[in-house]
Amino acid sequence: GEDVEQSLFLSVREGDSSVINCTYTDSSSTYLYWYKQEPGAGLQLLTYIFSNMDMKQDQRLTVLLNKKDKHLSLRIADTQTGDSAIYFCAEWTGGKLIFGQGTELSVKP
Amino acid sequence: SAVISQKPSRDICQRGTSLTIQCQVDSQVTMMFWYRQQPGQSLTLIATANQGSEATYESGFVIDKFPISRPNLTFSTLTVSNMSPEDSSIYLCSGSGQGAAEQYFGPGTRLTVT
């Protein structure tokens, strides 16, 4: 079946790197996504990766995909207080997005 | 990228009434979807809005409760019918831009049912 799992909380200090992890079960996923949701706001598409890639970098964001282990990670370099939010991992499979539970990132000054 | 807007942004409704939420995309999109996000939870897909035909509903969601329209490639509506407090959630619309890769979301409609 389709299932996406994330740890619920992550706390880091400002300036450190943050790594948010995600595992998924459906090996036929074509795209994997990271979304950011700030309090009271909708979902912001941060980045996505095609399933035949193993890495994608976009400014402070690095996505790593281990397709064999069905593991996706999002690294945020030089984490700032403005990065505090909930981060959702999602996979595109069967014509729809399946979301993880979300990881709440707390950045302490 | 596609910019998606929703109306209303929030509403407080009485039990037993219905609310229609509008979703407008600034460009033609192939697919549009409606999601529900219950308080403190992740997103659950309600249905895929199909242009010119009936929506495709996920398990646990039915047309009588959540009728959906999609008259063209840039607009869709979701109605939450005969509301109860359990329907209090954020309802989000999404659409795909060029190709299925980019999936964008609207800001959501915060619904409270009293």
Side-chain angles (χ1 to χ4, degrees), chain B residues 86-108:
Chain B
E86 293 70 36
D87 294 320
S88 297
S89 290
I90 302 172
Y91 292 86
L92 297 108
C93 166
S94 80
S96 60
Q98 282 191 337
E102 297 180 351
Q103 302 279 338
Y104 295 98
F105 281 78

Side-chain angles (χ1 to χ4, degrees), chain B residues 51-110:
Chain B
Q51 193 237 334
S53 65
E54 195 171 283
T56 305
Y57 290 84
E58 296 298 303
S59 176
F61 297 97
V62 295
I63 188 171
D64 289 347
K65 176 68 176 176
F66 297 102
I68 288 170
S69 77
R70 189 179 172 194
N72 57 51
L73 291 176
T74 63
F75 185 78
S76 178
T77 66
L78 168 75
T79 299
V80 186
S81 303
N82 187 24
M83 287 183 283
S84 67
E86 293 70 36
D87 294 320
S88 297
S89 290
I90 302 172
Y91 292 86
L92 297 108
C93 166
S94 80
S96 60
Q98 282 191 337
E102 297 180 351
Q103 302 279 338
Y104 295 98
F105 281 78
T109 295
R110 278 156 184 76

